[in-house]
């Protein structure tokens, strides 16, 4: 997972000159679950067909130049490891923030499923 390489890919997009904002989400493995239990790590499964659909829709959003994502799927991750990097480039703040939020929420709710590994 290389956010700098993903950003460089976006910057080489032929319509990058239309971008006024690039926003990045970098999800990492927390030391505790949402309910407060101690986590030693997690693993993530990805529905790649659904992900492709979501990314295609996001890229067609008015004002959006490009959307890139990398998800650390099918491996055992430890606390502090990167889980997902999502980058959205677009014309104005409102379009970019809204698209990043919608895309992130769609990925988290319909594309990925995570299994947390708890400290004994």
């Amino acid at each position: 997972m290389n956010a700098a390489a993903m950003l460089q890919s976006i910057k080489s997009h032929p319509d990058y000159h239309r971008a006024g904002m690039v926003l990045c989400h970098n999800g990492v493995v927390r030391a505790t679950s949402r309910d407060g239990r101690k986590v030693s790590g997690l693993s993530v499964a990805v529905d790649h067909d659904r992900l492709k659909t979501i990314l295609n829709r996001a890229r067609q959003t008015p004002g959006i130049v490009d959307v890139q994502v990398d998800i650390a799927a099918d491996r055992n991750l430890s606390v502090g490891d990167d889980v997902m990097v999502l980058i959205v480039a677009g014309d104005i703040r409102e379009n970019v923030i809204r698209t990043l939020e919608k895309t992130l929420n769609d990925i988290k709710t319909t594309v990925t499923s995570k299994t947390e590994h708890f400290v004994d």
Side-chain angles (χ1 to χ4, degrees):
M1 199 166 293
N2 186 335
M6 293 169 67
L7 181 57
Q8 192 56 45
S9 174
I10 285 175
K11 287 183 173 185
S12 66
H13 190 284
D15 291 330
Y16 183 70
H17 65 278
R18 292 184 20 238
M21 177 184 228
V22 178
L23 197 57
C24 178
H25 160 83
N26 187 180
V28 299
V29 180
R30 297 188 301 278
T32 57
S33 65
R34 285 182 176 252
D35 64 8
R37 292 184 288 165
K38 290 187 179 189
V39 171
S40 62
L42 63 83
S43 55
V44 180
V46 174
D47 178 337
H48 292 282
D49 291 334
R50 180 77 180 126
L51 178 60
K52 183 178 177 181
T53 299
I54 288 169
L55 292 176
N56 286 338
R57 184 180 64 226
R59 290 175 180 135
Q60 294 173 15
T61 303
I64 298 304
V65 172
D66 197 10
V67 179
Q68 297 288 323
V69 68
D70 190 5
I71 303 170
D74 303 321
R75 51 186 131 155
N76 290 321
L77 302 172
S78 299
V79 172
D81 286 347
D82 293 331
V83 178
M84 174 172 49
V85 174
L86 171 63
I87 303 177
V88 178
D91 57 357
I92 59 174
R93 179 179 66 246
E94 295 82 4
N95 290 338
V96 176
I97 292 171
R98 183 175 47 249
T99 301
L100 182 129
E101 182 178 28
K102 177 163 182 31
T103 304
L104 178 60
N105 288 336
D106 287 350
I107 290 170
K108 296 280 288 179
T109 59
T110 68
V111 170
T112 61
S113 59
K114 69 179 179 181
T115 302
E116 293 177 308
H117 308 288
F118 297 100
V119 175
D120 295 328

